[in-house]
Amino acid sequence: MYDEVMSDAPKIRGDEQTALAPLSPSGLAVQSPSPATLSPGSEAISSVSPQQVLAGRYTILGLVGVGGMGSVYRARDAELDEVVALKVLRRELVDTPGMLERFRQEVKLARRVTHPNVARMFDIGEHAGEKFLTMEYIEGQSLAAVLAERQPPLNEIIALTKSICAGLKAAHAAGVVHRDLKPDNVLLAKDGRVAISDFGIARAVQDDGVAVKTSGMPIGTPAYMAPEQVEGGAIDARTDIYALGAMLYELLTRERPWQGDTVYAIAAARLVKPPPDPRALRPTLPQAASTIVMKCMARAPADRYATVDDLLRAIETALAEMSSGPRSSIIVTRSQERVEAEAKTIGVLPFRNQGKPEDDYLAEGLTDDLIDALSMANGLRVRARGAVMRFKGVDRDAREIGRELDVQVVVDGSVRKIGTQLRVNARLVSVADGFQLWARRFDRAESEFLSVGDEAANAIAEALTLERSAPKRDAPTDPAALDFYLRARHEYHKGWVQNVDKAIGLFEEALARAPDDPTILSGYALAQLRKFANDLAGTDESGDRGRRAAERALATSPHMGEARVALANYALNMGDAAGAARATREALVVAPGSADVHDLRGRLLVELGEIDDGLVSLRTATTLEPQNGRAKADIVRAHGLLGNWAAVEASLAGWVTQTDSANFFWFMSARLALWRRDKAWGQRIREAVASSDFVLKDAVLEFCALIVDGTISGALTTMAESWGKMSSRAVRRPLFFRQLTAEVLAYMGKDDEALAIIESADEIGLIDLAWLDHCPLLDPLRASPRFVGVRARVADRARGVLAALRG
């Protein structure tokens, strides 16, 4: 069995010379040349490992997709010198008694279907215990991929439906029922041909109308299964017509007809509910089109079209009716969750450092770089840095980690530095069956480090039959500058505050050697703006340096995402919330893997009153950068504004209070204890921080004194002094201290003074509508006409910023 063969293959942790040994055609490891053979100063070359070969005949070229019945690969047939589609069947299907023989019989039957709108079935084969089918490979897109990208116009939907019907008619005439018709199995070739794939496979998992079940569920795709399939009843051509009706519903609305939290709920819904009317989602749809969809999806087979010819006649009649009336032109937007669910998924496992311990930043840098580069591939969902870095140093099989990450493929690699040369090994492995889709060794000069990420990302995208559209990277060419840049980025990711000065120093060392490099300038700008946002001294020096660096980077390379994030942060701190929103929206397009941009977007959304959406972005930021204490604090604050105190407690309980995030953790804890007027909580905080050491300790203790003892002068004095010392042009910090002061005054019952502070915050550009609406300390103020006036002005300001953020 293949799993047994793979047990002898290398794991992701092990001997440095064999950790990335590629797989030979037999599945056994092939020894790679030892990294020690790379001598400093040697010519940089790249070595491509042997590709996976199945049954001594089929060379794996790339992964097409993963479905309920197995993984589909693009492969070259050596005997015929032709590219074919190769489907490796799921082991639980093959192991079902009698299933293999049914597959053989159904493949024979499916081969009888010869029609331009049907992908041809070729053969059934075996490799190391894995069973696979080969069929015609059609270069193009699946209908599912098209739906994920755009809304087809009505005339295109009609043409597609006619082609699908033509293929079904030929199959039904040959006595073949598809039984798993769905958008994934309809292929749109680049030459315009429409072809149905997987004929015979679905029928093979049925036995004379009795559904074969896996884990208690009938085989098929719940969204498109006819009621008789769900119930295990008799199957005929009308079963395919039902599935076609479900597909038509989706083509017209970009939503599936049956929704539910589980596959059982989705499958069962059609047994108790009538088919949904697509006009409920698309009111301008012609009645004739809606009638066709609902008749196809009738609960009882007898109430559907009896044959595909009947359906085609109904379509022609409907076309005649629609030609005399207005055409439907509405464009329906598909939910992002649906688009993401249909994308391929990948996890970049932490690259291993096989050199000196102090070179660890290289392995971490390459991991980050490849994650960022792959995030620019269309149709690919990349697991975030925070999700994969927990496996750093873990001695486990790559496929096992891939299953835990819930991804289809994983990238596994290592880095070794010898003198001024680097050796990078990387491979791409299918989690389902362990097939190696791509592997390569890069021998590069140190100055070419960043080019490895781009080359690998392009090759991986090709192996996954995807397109990666990303501008050419402007990488530092000076080896010393690149080394300082990589070290600086390594420090930057260690924490939100603690390592920023060290990162800035390293960026400056890099800029001393490459002063105009846009990549280094962008990283430097981010670090300076992070310092600016957290500088309690209130000076503008870091902000100005960061802004100038970001502007210089964009002047040379307009696509630099980090530079746009830096400018967005600068705009927000300087009081230009709408400008910050626009820059954030632009940055998200070119830097979707940046924790900083998701953090900023989440903070803006929460303040603008879109708290739930803001929480999604903030959680993304903490996933991308687990040490992001700022985003964690904003998550806790958002739950506090919603009054979800159970979520507040859970978030605080799961927060590891390392030195870098202690300021955020304890200050936010004390602030929320004030919101709740919770003396017991305040006392626990006071006792917990008594022996601690962090910058905001005195402020936290004074808040606790206010909560527990009623002492008011300390907290007020601290805020007043901090406010008074500020010489900054920045608006963000004065707004923050005004909000805190208003909370303290409201806590003390000094309503008029609190209102005056809130009014002064409004005068300098307050946008925090969520705080005005939900902070419990402000409850006594909300009936005041002064408060109502402020709230109206802030709401109007927030609407403009939200429009800028969402475009």
Side-chain angles (χ1 to χ4, degrees):
M1 297 175 68
Y2 190 71
D3 286 340
E4 296 172 21
V5 176
M6 282 298 294
S7 67
D8 291 328
K11 294 187 178 182
I12 66 167
R13 311 290 173 219
D15 180 79
E16 64 178 27
Q17 295 184 8
T18 61
L20 282 177
L23 297 178
S24 72
S26 66
L28 299 177
V30 177
Q31 183 69 36
S32 293
S34 167
T37 62
L38 178 64
S39 58
S42 63
E43 182 180 356
I45 59 171
S46 296
S47 175
V48 181
S49 71
Q51 293 172 292
Q52 187 86 42
V53 178
L54 305 189
R57 174 175 176 178
Y58 301 100
T59 301
I60 298 294
L61 302 178
L63 177 68
V64 177
V66 179
M69 295 184 185
S71 302
V72 182
Y73 298 95
R74 186 166 57 96
R76 179 168 295 281
D77 183 343
E79 286 194 19
L80 301 179
D81 192 25
E82 183 177 358
V83 174
V84 300
L86 186 149
K87 172 169 278 192
V88 180
L89 300 171
R90 284 169 48 189
R91 181 60 64 89
E92 55 264 43
L93 292 179
V94 175
D95 289 346
T96 301
M99 182 65 70
L100 191 56
E101 183 56 34
R102 283 199 292 273
F103 268 119
R104 290 193 180 98
Q105 293 301 318
E106 293 302 331
V107 167
K108 290 180 182 178
L109 185 62
R111 289 173 64 174
R112 293 165 48 189
V113 182
T114 56
H115 190 275
N117 295 120
V118 175
R120 300 190 310 277
M121 183 72 69
F122 292 148
D123 204 355
I124 187 167
E126 178 180 350
H127 174 81
E130 300 285 354
K131 303 295 182 182
F132 61 85
L133 304 171
T134 56
M135 59 199 82
E136 179 185 8
Y137 177 73
I138 297 174
E139 187 175 3
Q141 285 183 296
S142 70
L143 184 55
V146 172
L147 270 171
E149 295 174 357
R150 62 183 177 87
Q151 167 71 57
L154 193 57
N155 61 339
E156 185 179 339
I157 292 173
I158 293 168
L160 281 168
T161 304
K162 287 183 175 181
S163 295
I164 295 168
C165 285
L168 286 177
K169 180 179 178 180
H172 294 167
V176 178
V177 178
H178 194 290
R179 306 189 188 208
D180 194 24
L181 188 63
K182 56 185 177 181
D184 301 84
N185 289 335
V186 176
L187 307 177
L188 280 60
K190 289 185 177 180
D191 62 4
R193 175 188 169 198
V194 178
I196 308 171
S197 68
D198 277 4
F199 262 111
I201 298 177
R203 182 181 175 93
V205 299
Q206 308 275 343
D207 185 12
D208 297 328
V210 179
V212 175
K213 297 185 178 183
T214 301
S215 302
M217 189 69 201
I219 291 294
T221 304
Y224 310 96
M225 288 170 64
E228 59 269 23
Q229 280 181 290
V230 176
E231 296 177 316
I235 306 295
D236 59 24
R238 292 169 296 182
T239 302
D240 284 345
I241 290 173
Y242 183 98
L244 179 55
M247 286 172 53
L248 279 171
Y249 182 98
E250 187 172 6
L251 282 164
L252 293 167
T253 67
R254 298 194 89 194
E255 293 294 339
R256 290 173 180 166
W258 304 110
Q259 307 287 334
D261 295 331
T262 67
V263 293
Y264 297 97
I266 295 170
R270 72 214 64 202
L271 303 181
V272 295
K273 298 178 182 178
D277 187 342
R279 291 189 303 163
L281 295 178
R282 190 171 177 177
T284 60
L285 188 70
Q287 175 65 55
S290 176
T291 299
I292 288 173
V293 171
M294 297 178 71
K295 185 174 178 64
C296 286
M297 295 177 62
R299 168 72 175 84
D303 294 333
R304 300 175 206 151
Y305 297 104
T307 67
V308 173
D309 275 335
D310 291 342
L311 172 56
L312 283 169
R313 281 191 289 271
I315 291 174
E316 293 299 335
T317 302
L319 281 174
E321 293 177 8
M322 287 188 287
S323 65
S324 60
R327 294 296 183 97
S328 172
S329 60
I330 186 170
I331 300 299
V332 185
T333 302
R334 197 175 218 195
S335 67
Q336 182 64 25
E337 291 80 4
R338 288 289 309 283
V339 174
E340 290 181 352
E342 288 164 357
K344 293 182 175 121
T345 53
I346 188 170
V348 181
L349 306 187
F351 274 64
R352 295 176 305 288
N353 172 31
Q354 294 184 340
K356 299 176 181 178
E358 56 266 31
D359 293 336
D360 193 54
Y361 70 96
L362 290 170
E364 187 170 315
L366 186 56
T367 305
D368 293 342
D369 203 54
L370 193 51
I371 289 173
D372 290 345
L374 286 171
S375 68
M376 301 303 291
N378 298 323
L380 186 64
R381 293 179 62 196
V382 187
R383 288 291 178 263
R385 180 181 191 273
V388 299
M389 288 308 290
R390 61 194 173 98
F391 295 106
K392 183 177 180 179
V394 174
D395 185 14
R396 288 170 62 186
D397 182 79
R399 291 174 63 193
E400 183 182 346
I401 294 178
R403 285 188 283 268
E404 189 167 332
L405 289 170
D406 191 24
V407 294
Q408 295 168 355
V409 290
V410 292
V411 180
D412 176 23
S414 68
V415 184
R416 184 184 181 100
K417 180 180 177 182
I418 304 176
T420 61
Q421 298 292 106
L422 296 172
R423 168 160 291 178
V424 176
N425 283 294
R427 66 172 180 168
L428 181 67
V429 179
S430 171
V431 172
D433 44 43
F435 293 157
Q436 182 167 283
L437 306 179
W438 169 85
R440 190 166 186 177
R441 188 188 74 215
F442 299 87
D443 291 340
R444 291 284 192 268
E446 189 177 357
S447 60
E448 298 178 86
F449 178 83
L450 293 182
S451 69
V452 174
D454 279 332
E455 287 185 48
N458 289 336
I460 289 168
E462 183 179 354
L464 297 176
T465 61
L466 299 171
E467 292 184 4
R468 178 177 172 264
S469 55
K472 187 179 184 301
R473 188 119 53 132
D474 300 301
T477 56
D478 180 273
L482 176 61
D483 190 67
F484 278 119
Y485 166 75
L486 294 172
R487 292 178 187 273
R489 194 169 65 170
H490 182 67
E491 294 296 331
Y492 180 81
H493 285 303
K494 282 185 178 179
W496 186 260
V497 178
Q498 178 179 319
N499 292 80
V500 171
D501 284 335
K502 188 172 182 180
I504 289 173
L506 289 165
F507 278 125
E508 288 173 344
E509 291 276 10
L511 287 172
R513 289 158 176 80
D516 299 318
D517 186 279
T519 300
I520 301 174
L521 283 168
S522 296
Y524 177 68
L526 269 186
Q528 288 284 15
L529 266 299
R530 181 174 284 190
K531 181 178 181 179
F532 180 54
N534 294 284
D535 188 357
L536 294 178
T539 61
D540 291 323
E541 187 174 313
S542 291
D544 289 339
R545 287 176 176 172
R547 174 185 56 79
R548 289 194 296 268
E551 289 172 347
R552 286 174 58 200
L554 289 174
T556 304
S557 298
H559 60 271
M560 299 301 295
E562 290 183 335
R564 294 189 182 277
V565 178
L567 288 180
N569 270 298
Y570 181 80
L572 183 63
N573 277 285
M574 300 305 290
D576 182 9
R582 285 190 294 273
T584 299
R585 189 183 74 242
E586 294 168 357
L588 191 62
V589 174
V590 292
S594 167
D596 294 270
V597 73
H598 289 284
D599 174 32
L600 184 55
R601 182 175 186 273
R603 199 179 323 138
L604 282 169
L605 283 170
V606 168
E607 293 190 12
L608 298 172
E610 302 291 325
I611 300 179
D612 289 334
D613 286 351
L615 279 168
V616 172
S617 289
L618 290 170
R619 292 190 190 103
T620 300
T622 58
T623 299
L624 291 166
E625 190 173 358
Q627 299 304 322
N628 192 329
R630 175 67 172 270
K632 290 180 180 179
D634 283 332
I635 289 172
V636 174
R637 176 180 179 270
H639 285 308
L641 290 172
L642 292 172
N644 190 349
W645 297 104
V648 168
E649 292 174 8
S651 297
L652 291 173
W655 191 342
V656 179
T657 53
Q658 298 172 342
T659 304
D660 186 72
S661 61
N663 284 307
F664 294 109
F665 177 87
W666 291 117
F667 191 85
M668 188 55 68
S669 297
R671 187 179 181 187
L672 294 187
L674 191 77
W675 286 11
R676 294 197 72 180
R677 300 178 183 270
D678 192 330
K679 289 187 177 183
W681 191 2
Q683 181 60 32
R684 289 196 301 272
I685 294 170
R686 181 156 64 177
E687 293 172 357
V689 304
S691 58
S692 302
D693 183 22
F694 54 96
V695 174
L696 294 178
K697 178 180 177 179
D698 290 343
V700 170
L701 287 174
E702 289 176 341
F703 267 113
C704 292
L706 176 60
I707 298 165
V708 179
D709 306 325
T711 304
I712 60 174
S713 58
L716 282 176
T717 300
T718 297
M719 282 183 283
E721 288 179 352
S722 298
W723 185 359
K725 288 178 181 177
M726 286 187 178
S727 59
S728 174
R729 303 187 311 275
V731 170
R732 190 73 176 172
R733 284 187 295 269
L735 277 172
F736 174 68
F737 283 110
R738 279 170 167 82
Q739 289 178 257
L740 288 179
T741 304
E743 289 175 15
V744 171
L745 290 168
Y747 182 92
M748 295 160 48
K750 298 186 177 184
D751 293 358
D752 287 341
E753 293 178 48
L755 283 168
I757 293 293
I758 293 172
E759 287 170 333
S760 72
D762 173 36
E763 290 171 2
I764 63 172
L766 181 68
I767 63 168
D768 200 345
L769 184 63
W771 177 72
L772 286 178
D773 285 348
H774 299 290
C775 178
L777 293 175
L778 305 185
D779 287 348
L781 311 181
R782 292 196 174 94
S784 166
R786 294 166 64 188
F787 188 94
V788 172
V790 169
R791 201 265 176 204
R793 290 189 292 274
V794 172
D796 185 63
R797 195 177 296 131
R799 278 192 293 273
V801 177
L802 187 61
L805 183 63
R806 289 185 166 163

